[in-house]
């Protein structure tokens, strides 16, 4: 088993939900953390919490993963002590809307594709060469059950997560012969700010997604990510689907009688 003690992990989208939970799990395991998102104040609160609880060293970077120049300039110019990134967690992402494709918002599509696909690529392209050069690294992409099959209204979000799945597969192939590992984690329903963002702030509609079932928590996903990155170096968990017990497919869920 690999120890995370003093390893450097970069987690995108650490200001909320799954990313923040991964940061907490890694910090508890002794990692140093580069945390990124757009909301600086959230990152600062998390960094203070991690320092108080685990004495964690953090480097906070505030940028939008859709901004190619910002991504490359922030991540290519890391302070010397932070340059040897051991683990990259590409978690930043979102869904917007649940409209039929022919009625959908093109702005929503662009936001999803730019963040979930292009943002992930920009970060990966900047960080992975160092991993290859140092002969050490693990890329964990947060895909989704949505990347395995489309569901009604999911169209472009599902396509973006299918892209994450294929990019993960391709990256694993391209890194064959190096020790760098690649994993695509594919969660089902996880209660975070995800649905509030999807429905543009409509909390009532967001709450209905998780009504009368027990969704995964962000900590459940973080637990699995911690497991994946701590396997011995010869073990690569390439793809992992995790769903709530109350969920079978993206659309087939069991709701208890209220
Ligand atoms: P949250 O909305 O709670 O968190 C999303 C995170 O992504 C935030 O930290 C946000 O930070 C960041 N983010 C979003 N857009 C950008 C951007 N353009 N630039 C930089 N950071 C960005 O949702 P989750 O924690 O649930 O989502 C995390 C990942 O998990 C996503 O990729 C999502 O698709 C995936 N996922 C979620 C599932 C769920 O049911 N919740 C299930 C399967 C996968 P900020 O706004 O501060 O920039
Ligand atoms: C998030 C899970 O089912 O809402 O990726 O698409 S789902």
């Amino acid at each position: 088993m690999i120890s995370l003690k003093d390893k450097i992990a970069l987690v995108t989208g650490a200001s909320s939900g799954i990313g923040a939970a991964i940061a907490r799990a890694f910090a508890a395991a002794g990692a140093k953390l580069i945390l990124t998102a757009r909301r600086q104040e959230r990152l600062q609160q998390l960094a203070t919490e991690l320092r108080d609880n685990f004495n964690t060293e953090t480097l906070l970077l505030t940028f939008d993963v859709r901004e190619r120049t910002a991504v490359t300039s922030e991540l290519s110019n890391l302070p010397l002590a932070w340059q040897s990134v051991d683990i990259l967690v590409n978690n930043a992402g979102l869904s917007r809307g649940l409209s039929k494709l022919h009625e959908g918002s093109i702005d929503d599509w662009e936001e999803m594709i730019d963040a979930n696909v292009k943002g992930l690529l920009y970060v990966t392209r900047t960080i992975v060469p160092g991993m290859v050069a140092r002969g050490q690294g693990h890329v964990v992409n947060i895909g989704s059950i949505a990347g395995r099959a489309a569901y009604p209204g999911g169209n472009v979000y599902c396509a973006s997560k299918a892209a994450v799945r294929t990019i993960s597969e391709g990256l694993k192939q391209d890194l064959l012969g190096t020790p760098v590992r690649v994993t695509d984690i594919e969660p089902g329903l996880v209660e975070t700010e995800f649905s509030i963002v999807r429905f543009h702030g409509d909390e009532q509609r967001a709450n209905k997604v998780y009504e009368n079932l027990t969704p995964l928590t962000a900590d459940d996903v973080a637990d699995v990510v911690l497991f994946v990155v701590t396997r011995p170096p010869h073990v690569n968990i390439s793809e992992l689907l995790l769903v709530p017990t109350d969920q079978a497919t993206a659309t087939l869920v069991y709701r208890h009688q209220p």
Side-chain angles (χ1 to χ4, degrees), residues 31-238:
K32 298 177 185 176
L33 297 173
I34 304 173
L35 304 177
T36 88
R38 291 165 299 182
R39 288 172 291 179
Q40 162 77 21
E41 204 181 305
R42 291 274 201 108
L43 291 180
Q44 191 53 64
Q45 280 167 4
L46 179 60
T48 303
E49 177 197 318
L50 300 180
R51 188 199 58 212
D52 292 350
N53 290 346
F54 310 111
N55 213 16
T56 308
E57 287 178 51
T58 52
L59 174 69
L60 308 184
L61 300 176
T62 312
F63 58 80
D64 187 323
V65 291
R66 293 173 296 172
E67 302 290 338
R68 177 176 163 183
T69 316
V71 173
T72 49
S73 82
E74 290 281 348
L75 298 182
S76 304
N77 295 301
L78 292 170
L80 197 60
W82 291 95
Q83 286 177 4
S84 300
V85 175
D86 297 292
I87 302 166
L88 165 62
V89 183
N90 277 312
N91 163 78
L94 78 169
S95 67
R96 285 288 195 198
L98 195 62
S99 302
K100 292 178 190 292
L101 189 88
H102 57 285
E103 296 166 356
S105 152
I106 295 176
D107 285 343
D108 285 353
W109 299 350
E110 289 189 337
E111 188 172 3
M112 290 186 279
I113 292 167
D114 289 351
N116 300 357
V117 184
K118 292 168 71 179
L120 177 145
L121 286 169
Y122 301 153
V123 175
T124 304
R125 180 66 182 86
T126 312
I127 295 297
V128 173
M131 292 179 166
V132 173
R134 289 186 298 276
Q136 175 160 312
H138 195 152
V139 179
V140 179
N141 292 329
I142 305 299
S144 171
I145 192 173
R148 292 188 160 217
Y151 55 80
N155 45 66
V156 175
Y157 177 69
C158 296
S160 76
K161 291 299 183 178
V164 171
R165 191 180 191 200
T166 303
I167 289 164
S168 306
E169 190 184 3
L171 182 63
K172 177 74 183 92
Q173 293 172 7
D174 293 341
L175 288 170
L176 196 64
T178 81
V180 181
R181 303 189 289 179
V182 183
T183 303
D184 183 25
I185 300 282
E186 300 167 346
L189 292 166
V190 190
E191 191 163 11
T192 60
E193 293 172 22
F194 176 86
S195 291
I196 298 171
V197 171
R198 165 168 257 176
F199 300 126
H200 295 276
D202 183 341
E203 293 200 21
Q204 258 189 335
R205 191 172 175 201
N207 290 338
K208 283 207 177 312
V209 174
Y210 312 105
E211 209 167 61
N212 300 326
L213 58 79
T214 308
L216 296 173
T217 65
D219 288 336
D220 295 327
V221 181
D223 218 18
V224 167
V225 173
L226 183 64
F227 175 81
V228 160
V229 300
T230 52
R231 290 315 84 207
H234 68 287
V235 178
N236 189 112
I237 298 177
S238 299

